[in-house]
Amino acid sequence: MDSRLDGRAIAKSVRTATRNAVESFSAHADPPALAVVLVGDHPASASYVRGKKRAASEVGIQSTVHRRDASISQHELLDLIRTLNADDAVDGILVQLPLPDHIDQYAVIETIDPTKDVDGFHPQNLGRLLIGTPQFVPATPAGIMVLLERALDDLAGARAVVVGRSNIVGKPLAALLMQRDANATVTVCHSRTRDLAAHTKAADIVIAAAGRPNLITADMVSDGVTVIDVGINRVDDDSRERGYRLVGDVDYDAVAPKAHAITPVPGGVGPMTIAMLLRNTLQAAQHRRA
Ligand code: NDP
């Protein structure tokens, strides 16, 4: 049985639903508008922003990229965010991370108007998620929940192990999994966890979001496990023209035969992240202009 969980196909169905909803919305209003702030010339960030812009345009969402030099001061960047907050024509604001070291990322995120915070990283939105009244759910965890819903009939009572405790993936995902509408039993592991394998082996669901290639190997999971691989890691590969390839945190080839379902990298969580961001942007427009 093929256990591959095709994030590209599932993301496409989410984007189609969003495109249809954007079309209805735009029949009587300006299309939803997303402002993307890109600081510096980090190639991966520039490529993510290009991908988001293209995906937005495909579903009818208007997007504008505000590109600034890496030398921008924190003060100038906060001013730009405040300008976008005050601009009624902007529904959603996204600041591409990471930011240069001299800028306090948290100050930037906290300056974004929470009603335009389509990444869902503002403390108000993370707090709302924690108490079970979410407004914007961070895109990667939201996408993972959709993947899990496709893979499993019911998450209630499932033992879910989240490997990674970042504010953008691990923590919000743990909050979503333990909400009353999901009802999983959640364990969060991190770099100080003792005997990671004991946790993953006892799990029905393993979500790997550590950014460590080959962290999860076949001997660390049980038969029938559902595995979501969030990691995106570059490993050297001389057979590729660019000299590297992208892999996740899971040894896919060895784990897949044991798994009920497993996401590949690339083609798993990545496409879902963008699809959920578009959905959040539509939701921002609907909410703000209701
Ligand atoms: P962070 O670096 O912020 O967090 C990594 C987490 O993994 C930390 O909590 C860390 O523990 C934990 N960790 C690291 N090594 C180990 C280990 N050996 N055993 C157990 N836990 C470990 O990363 P992000 O959450 O931002 O991203 C995680 C991965 O997901 C990255 O590869 C990133 O590129 C990818 N990603 C993919 C997205 C997508 O759309 N597909 C979106 C966002 C991220 P500690 O807290 O103790 O340091």
Side-chain angles (χ1 to χ4, degrees):
M1 198 193 71
D2 186 12
S3 56
R4 182 190 175 91
L5 191 54
D6 186 348
R8 280 200 186 107
I10 299 170
K12 193 172 174 200
S13 70
V14 173
R15 288 201 310 269
T16 301
T18 303
R19 194 183 61 222
N20 292 340
V22 167
E23 209 170 279
S24 316
F25 181 87
S26 305
H28 54 81
D30 286 337
L34 174 67
V36 181
V37 177
L38 174 61
V39 179
D41 46 18
H42 197 269
S45 292
S47 145
Y48 287 139
V49 166
R50 276 197 303 277
K52 288 169 184 175
K53 196 169 164 49
R54 193 180 327 117
S57 136
E58 278 165 16
V59 301
I61 290 175
Q62 226 174 49
S63 64
T64 310
V65 179
H66 299 265
R67 206 173 179 145
R68 295 293 184 272
D69 197 85
S71 63
I72 190 172
S73 70
Q74 175 154 325
H75 180 75
E76 287 167 324
L77 185 55
L78 296 186
D79 267 354
L80 170 61
I81 306 286
R82 289 188 193 103
T83 305
L84 296 171
N85 285 346
D87 186 345
D88 261 348
V90 172
D91 296 303
I93 301 171
L94 178 163
V95 178
Q96 185 64 43
L97 302 177
L99 292 167
D101 288 346
H102 67 278
I103 291 176
D104 175 358
Q105 174 178 307
Y106 296 106
V108 173
I109 291 169
E110 284 188 42
T111 303
I112 298 172
D113 177 344
T115 68
K116 297 188 177 188
D117 170 39
V118 288
D119 260 339
F121 297 160
H122 190 285
Q124 182 173 311
N125 284 319
L126 287 173
R128 290 188 64 136
L129 174 61
L130 202 58
I131 62 169
T133 60
Q135 182 168 23
F136 294 112
V137 176
T140 300
I144 292 168
M145 294 305 286
V146 173
L147 289 169
L148 288 174
E149 281 158 20
R150 296 289 179 107
L152 298 162
D153 291 336
D154 192 6
L155 302 186
R159 287 162 299 188
V161 167
V162 179
V163 185
R165 56 175 164 184
S166 72
N167 290 335
I168 64 171
V169 187
K171 282 184 200 162
L173 180 62
L176 284 167
L177 285 163
M178 72 168 111
Q179 298 294 350
R180 284 193 182 278
D181 54 356
N183 291 310
T185 300
V186 186
T187 303
V188 180
C189 298
H190 44 76
S191 67
R192 307 293 293 271
T193 294
R194 253 181 271 140
D195 198 355
L196 177 63
H199 293 283
T200 53
K201 229 175 159 37
D204 304 303
I205 300 168
V206 173
I207 297 140
R212 300 278 181 273
N214 269 320
L215 179 65
I216 308 295
T217 50
D219 57 322
M220 293 171 71
V221 298
S222 292
D223 286 331
V225 68
T226 292
V227 180
I228 306 289
D229 191 352
V230 190
I232 302 177
N233 308 292
R234 279 184 182 198
V235 295
D236 293 341
D237 185 345
D238 292 338
S239 72
R240 306 283 170 107
E241 201 176 309
R242 58 188 180 182
Y244 68 87
R245 69 196 148 87
L246 294 180
V247 300
D249 290 354
V250 179
D251 180 359
Y252 183 92
D253 290 339
V255 172
K258 294 181 86 171
H260 162 71
I262 178 169
T263 57
V265 176
V269 175
M272 293 304 297
T273 297
I274 296 194
M276 302 316 282
L277 169 71
L278 302 176
R279 189 195 261 189
N280 280 354
T281 306
L282 167 65
Q283 197 191 310
Q286 287 169 329
H287 181 80
R288 291 187 58 253
R289 297 199 248 151

